[in-house]
Amino acid sequence: MPDSEEGFTFKEIRSRGFSCPWHFHAENELILTLHCPGYRMVGDDLTELEAGDLVPLGSNLPHIWQRDEGKPRQRGPVHILIVQFEENFLGRDFWKIPATRALRQLLKRASVGLKFTGKTRESVARLMSDMRSASGLRRLALFLTALEALASSSEGRAIASPGYIAELSPFNQERMERVLRFINERLDQPIRMGEAALVAGLSAGAFSRFFSLHSGRTFPTFVNQLRIGRACRLLAES
């Protein structure tokens, strides 16, 4: 359980040396990305990050938020707001209340991740911003208001594929993180699948199957998608 008086954990990340590995955990999360040029991977979905990206994630859903190492550091630190909470952070009896039906459905939908846009994103972003200076009952009230806004909104769409099932292995978690770090550090260089297989400690054939299972795409497709995303960002900013 979190050590905060609200029963959940609120984090504000401001860092030039940001690192979020490919991982999963039992807690649910609500993540607001204010600034992080790069990409996020949720389940089998790979998407370029944009300012204002608002994503609730269900329990044990593998994910990574990756800053593009090819971006100049002087463009400012990563800025992300995160709420982590266990499903029963208000007690099991809380979910027996009829009024929480929409919240139960929200957590069920978030099992594959949800991206919210429009007025919902704007209102929840304001609430999360207000949570930075709040504490105790006030912070709890703001969080519940944010959850209610998400639960009653029609502006959320699923992120990972509907049939996505995570392979929850701590060993594979660490192996996948090594491979993703290897790719990100060498994105502006030739990257051979055989080299990535060595990083993972697998044969070429086993690595191909492993990577497709965990990323939802082949290794060359994944690398090319990241390179196209970087090129698009550089063109947009130049």
Side-chain angles (χ1 to χ4, degrees):
M1 289 292 292
D3 56 7
S4 67
E5 59 181 315
E6 298 91 5
F8 60 87
T9 300
F10 178 85
K11 301 178 182 178
E12 180 175 18
I13 298 174
R14 285 182 178 268
S15 174
R16 292 184 181 273
F18 174 72
S19 177
C20 172
W22 191 88
H23 66 294
F24 55 87
H25 42 69
E27 296 83 6
N28 299 274
E29 281 188 318
L30 177 60
I31 304 174
L32 174 64
T33 302
L34 298 171
H35 181 74
C36 184
Y39 69 91
R40 61 167 161 78
M41 186 175 171
V42 175
D44 59 357
D45 177 83
L46 178 65
T47 299
E48 295 297 312
L49 280 167
E50 58 183 17
D53 186 68
L54 178 66
V55 173
L57 301 177
S59 174
N60 288 320
L61 178 60
H63 57 281
I64 179 175
W65 260 240
Q66 181 64 65
R67 177 173 182 149
D68 187 346
E69 294 301 328
K71 303 287 292 184
R73 292 287 181 177
Q74 62 266 25
R75 294 191 184 277
V78 166
H79 190 190
I80 300 176
L81 303 181
I82 302 176
V83 180
Q84 289 184 332
F85 62 102
E86 295 182 354
E87 183 172 339
N88 295 315
F89 79 101
L90 288 176
R92 294 183 181 276
D93 289 340
F94 174 75
W95 298 107
K96 298 178 182 179
I97 302 173
T100 63
R101 180 179 179 182
L103 293 182
R104 294 197 300 270
Q105 288 298 317
L106 173 68
L107 294 185
K108 183 177 180 180
R109 293 170 59 209
S111 63
V112 293
L114 294 170
K115 177 180 178 178
F116 282 87
T117 57
K119 293 183 178 179
T120 304
R121 178 173 66 179
E122 295 174 4
S123 63
V124 173
R126 286 194 296 270
L127 290 165
M128 293 184 71
S129 179
D130 290 344
M131 289 173 69
R132 293 182 297 175
S133 58
S135 62
L137 185 59
R138 173 59 178 163
R139 178 177 278 182
L140 175 60
L142 289 169
F143 179 46
L144 291 177
T145 302
L147 288 180
E148 190 279 332
L150 296 171
S152 60
S153 172
S154 60
E155 295 180 306
R157 65 166 182 80
I159 297 177
S161 301
Y164 175 77
I165 300 177
E167 291 286 335
L168 302 179
S169 164
F171 181 69
N172 286 341
Q173 174 182 352
E174 192 273 337
R175 174 179 276 164
M176 190 68 175
E177 165 56 16
R178 292 201 311 266
V179 173
L180 292 176
R181 185 168 61 247
F182 170 80
I183 294 172
N184 196 60
E185 291 173 351
R186 294 163 176 79
L187 201 56
D188 58 350
Q189 307 169 27
I191 301 177
R192 297 176 177 83
M193 189 171 71
E195 296 173 330
L198 288 175
V199 171
L202 295 169
S203 67
F207 174 76
S208 179
R209 294 188 294 273
F210 164 81
F211 194 83
S212 294
L213 174 65
H214 289 285
S215 70
R217 52 188 52 75
T218 66
F219 182 78
T221 299
F222 183 89
V223 173
N224 287 337
Q225 190 170 345
L226 289 186
R227 285 175 169 160
I228 290 171
R230 172 181 286 186
C232 289
R233 287 196 302 274
L234 291 175
L235 286 171
E237 296 173 2
S238 62

